[in-house]
Amino acid sequence: MEYSEVYEKADGLRKNLEKVIRGKSGKIELAVAALLARGHLLIEDVPGVGKTTLAHAMARSVNCSFQRIQFTSDMLPSDVIGVTVYNLDRRIFEFKPGPIFANIVLADEINRTTPRTQSALLEAMNDRQISVDGVTYPLPVPFMLIATQNPLEYAGTFPLPESQLDRFTMSLKIGYPLASDEREIIRSASSSSALSSLNAVITADELGAMQERVGQVRVSDDLVDYILAIANATRNHKGIRLGVSPRATSTLYAAAQAIAVINGRDYLLPDDIKRLAAPVFGHRLIAAENYSGDVAQAGASLIEDILSTTPVPV
């Protein structure tokens, strides 16, 4: 698949999502970038702004399998990954796959389940496989986990640990729509009607070919050094207690390649890295105890501070 074809299909995917998520083209573009980078997406925002709708729309836009898991405090790991049961007729143990075995999986309100159940997702997100009773089962290709959570509801929730957050390619906040967009939302059909009429614009095989081509985007050594400079700055910043991991730098590299293709290029620019630094790095940071800024916006604010002091390659 040529870069021009990848761009056309990515643009078609973006426009398809905009049919149900209005006035958020920038956020949609980032979500598409996470998909093309073979990543996972965490959408953290207040109720009713379109978190679940965006996940459903992405799944409907790609002709592939989809499963939604509504997380609750009483869920077990087997409810997610599956369970081995004994078949009386055949007299053997058989594995019954759970909802994680789909191309796109929506983990709705992921922070409402216990750490034990949350940990069942770690292997799936990192290795694209599941291990049960000593047997490893590969997940479908492509595979993407989209998780949602409400940051304001703390009763009965379990914050995601750093190891889980580090496996999400990006963390997005959709935010409230502008008044003009919200007026259009009110007057238009309901989101459920818009979703039901949404058609797939790419197939799973096409998505795999697009992801393969995205990984071939040209990145100069100067831009690799720029990514490393930003990462090292997070590890030495006085306002940051925990900086980003090597996994995070690789993730930023891949996501920047994806955003370049979405913008019609087969090469990377410094602006691609600057644009993605906060969505990719922000949720991975832990502010120092003496940090005086807004804790809820700490990650993005600290990244902006680092970007302003890190030399940009010319």
Side-chain angles (χ1 to χ4, degrees), residues 146-165:
I146 304 175
T148 70
Q149 66 174 358
N150 180 0
L152 300 181
E153 293 183 9
Y154 296 110
T157 62
F158 304 86
L160 299 181
E162 291 77 15
S163 60
Q164 189 107 48
L165 290 171

Side-chain angles (χ1 to χ4, degrees), residues 50-128:
K51 301 188 300 295
T52 303
T53 301
L54 175 57
H56 272 290
M58 288 190 68
R60 282 187 171 273
S61 297
V62 183
N63 188 15
C64 62
S65 58
F66 171 72
Q67 288 284 355
R68 173 181 176 175
I69 310 173
Q70 184 64 52
F71 281 95
T72 57
S73 59
D74 59 348
M75 286 190 70
L76 298 174
S78 58
D79 296 325
V80 176
I81 64 177
V83 63
T84 301
V85 297
Y86 187 69
N87 187 319
L88 290 175
D89 295 332
R90 301 179 60 190
R91 296 185 179 181
I92 58 172
F93 285 95
E94 295 180 341
F95 176 66
K96 300 296 183 181
I100 196 68
F101 285 86
N103 293 115
I104 297 180
V105 178
L106 169 59
D108 218 358
E109 296 185 300
I110 189 174
N111 59 333
R112 288 198 173 278
T113 196
T114 62
R116 179 186 178 190
T117 304
Q118 288 178 10
S119 66
L121 299 171
L122 294 177
E123 184 182 12
M125 296 175 70
N126 194 66
D127 302 323
R128 266 71 175 178

